[in-house]
Every structure is written in C-alpha cells, then in structure tokens.
C-alpha cells in the first residue's frame, strides 16, 4: 500500500506538471497571437552616421516596442557589407545605400526588398572638397585627378560623376577614384595623396574647419538635389515569411523619420551612438533629409543614374523591389 500510495502521489504530481506546462504554453501562444508578429525580435544592420538617427530614435523612444518588436543592431561598414549578411540571415533588415541594393538585385546576388527610405541629400550634406591652396578651381579642373570616395561604383561616385558631366569631364571609376574611409579623408587631402575628396557629414564640416578646405561643389544640388541615398532593406524570403513583422518595423521607422525633421532631436541623439561626433560637432554639421514615404518614382532616379554611368548594364525597374503599405504616400 505504501508503494501504491507513492505511485499515486507521483502520478498526481506529474499530472499537475503537465497541466502547468500546458497552461504556460497557452499563455505563450496567446501572447504571440496578441502580438500578431511572426517574429518579435529582429537584428538590423546599421551605420554610426547621421542617416541612421531615426533608427536610434525608434529604439530609444520605444517606437519598436510599441509595435511589439525588439530590435537589436549590428554595425556594418556600408551597403556592400549588408548584402552577404542579409543573404546568410545574420541580419533580418539592414540600412544601406540604394546602389548596393539595386546592384545586388540586378546581378542576382540578392533578392532585396526595400522596407523604408532612410535619407536623401540636402544642401551641403555631400560635398566635393579640395585643399585651400589647391590649383583646382572648378570641376573642369578635375580631369585626370584623383578623388577620394568611400567606395567605388557607389552613390559617392555617382554624385561626383553627375556633377562633372555638365562640365565636360568624364571620370573613370578605377582611374579617377581612390577608396578612402571618411574618417581618413582629412589626412588624405592634407598629404596630397588625393586631389579632392567627396565628403559626407560630419567629415565635410570638420575638414573645412580644420584644414580650411575649399568647397569645389555642393553635390546635393542640381541634378542630384534631393537625391535618394540610403534605405532599409530585407530579403524577399524574409519579407514573404514575416509580413507583419516587416510592417511593424515600417510603422515605427516612419514615425521616427518624421521626428527627425526636428534638427534638435537628431542633434541630441547623434552623440549618443556615433563615434567621433560630440555635442559641438552635432551642433555645427549639416543633416540629410529623412523621407517619410516609400516612393518608387523618387528611387527610380538612382537606378537611372546607375545605368547612365554604366554601374548598371541595363535599366533596373525599382517598383517591384519596394514593400508598400505603411510608407505609402
């Protein structure tokens, strides 16, 4: 009887454990159902630049949390690096320049889907600078010169080549451009290893202040005024499997993009995540524009300029690459 009694107690305890476990699973299922997202935690590729201020705002102000989404970030060096990380699944969504994303689509390296726009040019956000004592006085003088850019065959070279063409200067991606990381452009210009640099912010402002560098051209005007620079992309596979998760990211990032229209908001958060940007730099640098819609006509400009300068061998139709919805308008 004693053994039977013990077996009965054990059976009862087991039944209670199973019941408790089932109840816990039920709670979990209810939470997931209430959340409505296929994936409540994602990893997003980012860069420590002003263009990603809205992403940081969305995290710090709980905009993603309000959508039931936890966002972890992974720092990348640029859009080209985002491609293999997206493809391998290391990143679910990533910030990156459109040239890299559209090139990946054209070559078949990746099937990207643009989730949201991140930034576009604004006056003096992308500048062409020369040393203060440089003999180069106009874009026409760039013929045969070396120009420092972050990456060849990318948005930087597109901006320079677009500005040079009306002056009758044809620039070659390999002969005229030298890859120089933005933080090193000041030293490159000072040493004379390049004749000019295509600077992004805050480096453009810093180079002018420290070296007295001259502004040869504002690459954010004329044909490239309001030119789309970068956005957030995922893979077609991830988008198809996680439409609600992607939509949640879209809603949050669009709200943050709207907040970034207030310069003070961006100025305050930038020093908290971007290397080398303190409060003084943040107060004096120039900021890109932060679009709050996903616009096929606007982004088609990038693809068309890519084709114009041979970075794309044929026309890329941008519209099928966009995920519409929360960012329409």
């Amino acid at each position: 009887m004693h053994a039977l009694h013990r077996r009965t107690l054990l059976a009862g305890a087991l039944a209670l454990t199973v019941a408790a476990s089932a109840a816990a699973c039920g709670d979990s299922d209810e939470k997931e159902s209430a959340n409505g997202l296929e994936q409540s935690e994602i990893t997003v590729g980012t860069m420590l630049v002003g263009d990603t201020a809205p992403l940081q705002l969305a995290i710090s102000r709980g905009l993603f949390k309000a959508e039931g989404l936890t966002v972890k970030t992974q720092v990348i060096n640029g859009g080209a690096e985002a491609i293999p990380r997206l493809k391998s699944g290391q990143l679910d969504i990533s910030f990156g320049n459109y040239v890299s994303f559209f090139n990946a689509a054209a070559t078949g390296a990746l099937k990207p889907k643009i989730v949201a726009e991140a930034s576009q040019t604004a006056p003096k956000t992308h500048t062409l600078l020369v040393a203060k004592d440089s003999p180069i006085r106009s874009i026409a003088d760039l013929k045969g010169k070396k120009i420092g850019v972050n990456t060849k065959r990318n948005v930087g070279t597109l901006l320079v080549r677009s500005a040079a063409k009306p002056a009758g200067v044809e620039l070659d991606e390999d002969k005229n451009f030298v890859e120089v990381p933005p933080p090193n452009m000041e030293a490159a210009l000072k040493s004379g290893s390049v004749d000019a640099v295509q600077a992004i912010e805050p480096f453009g402002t810093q180079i002018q202040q420290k070296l007295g560098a001259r502004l040869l051209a504002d690459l954010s005007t004329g044909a490239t005024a309001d030119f789309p620079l970068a956005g957030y992309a995922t893979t077609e596979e991830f988008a198809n499997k996680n439409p609600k998760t992607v939509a949640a990211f879209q809603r949050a990032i669009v709200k943050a993009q709207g907040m970034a229209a207030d310069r003070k908001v961006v100025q305050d958060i930038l020093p908290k995540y971007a290397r080398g940007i303190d409060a003084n730099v943040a107060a004096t640098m120039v900021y890109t524009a932060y679009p709050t819609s996903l616009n096929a006509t606007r982004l088609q400009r990038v693809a068309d300029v890519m084709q114009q300068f041979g970075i794309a061998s044929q026309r890329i139709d941008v519209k099928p690459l966009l995920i519409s919805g929360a960012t329409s308008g």
Side-chain angles (χ1 to χ4, degrees), residues 43 65 71 101 137 169 175:
T43 302
K65 285 289 186 184
V71 170
F101 291 142
R137 294 291 166 181
V169 179
K175 293 178 181 178

Side-chain angles (χ1 to χ4, degrees), residues 69-307:
L69 196 59
T70 297
V71 170
K72 293 185 176 181
T73 59
Q74 192 177 113
V75 177
I76 59 171
N77 292 317
E81 187 179 325
I83 304 304
R85 293 200 195 186
L86 284 168
K87 191 171 184 177
S88 67
Q90 293 179 60
L91 298 175
D92 300 308
I93 295 173
S94 184
F95 170 84
N97 73 84
Y98 295 119
V99 177
S100 293
F101 291 142
F102 295 163
N103 248 338
T107 60
L110 184 76
K111 291 183 178 179
K113 285 289 187 178
I114 308 299
V115 177
E117 293 191 44
S119 62
Q120 63 185 43
T121 61
K124 296 185 178 179
T125 53
H126 291 69
T127 53
L128 194 58
L129 304 176
V130 295
K132 62 180 178 181
D133 56 353
S134 171
I136 298 172
R137 294 291 166 181
S138 70
I139 288 184
D141 297 330
L142 286 177
K143 188 175 181 181
K145 303 300 183 183
K146 297 291 185 184
I147 304 163
V149 294
N150 184 30
T151 312
K152 294 179 183 179
R153 294 175 179 82
N154 223 300
V155 68
T157 58
L158 279 187
L159 292 174
V160 177
R161 292 176 71 183
S162 182
K165 191 173 179 65
V169 179
E170 293 287 345
L171 298 172
D172 183 86
E173 289 284 336
D174 294 311
K175 293 178 181 178
N176 296 112
F177 294 105
V178 179
E179 292 189 348
V180 181
N184 299 344
M185 287 187 177
E186 180 185 328
L189 196 61
K190 188 176 182 179
S191 69
S193 61
V194 295
D195 302 293
V197 293
Q198 188 274 300
I200 59 174
E201 284 298 282
F203 305 104
T205 295
Q206 291 175 318
I207 292 170
Q208 290 178 78
Q209 290 176 346
K210 292 181 180 180
L211 298 185
R214 285 190 289 108
L215 177 68
L216 191 68
D218 179 359
L219 302 176
S220 308
T221 60
T224 50
D226 303 319
F227 195 74
L229 297 169
Y232 295 93
T234 186
T235 62
E236 183 178 71
E237 181 182 10
F238 186 86
N240 288 341
K241 287 182 178 178
N242 305 280
K244 293 178 182 178
T245 300
V246 171
F249 179 89
Q250 281 183 316
R251 288 190 295 270
I253 200 69
V254 167
K255 287 176 185 175
Q257 292 278 122
M259 289 179 180
D262 183 344
R263 178 191 169 93
K264 186 67 167 57
V265 170
V266 180
Q267 187 176 311
D268 288 346
I269 197 168
L270 196 55
K272 296 177 181 178
Y273 73 89
R275 293 192 206 103
I277 301 181
D278 58 22
N280 290 331
V281 174
T284 57
M285 66 181 278
V286 183
Y287 293 99
T288 57
Y290 302 100
T292 55
S293 64
L294 191 55
N295 187 294
T297 301
R298 183 162 55 228
L299 298 191
Q300 189 64 48
R301 290 176 64 195
V302 180
D304 291 346
V305 175
M306 287 172 64
Q307 184 184 11

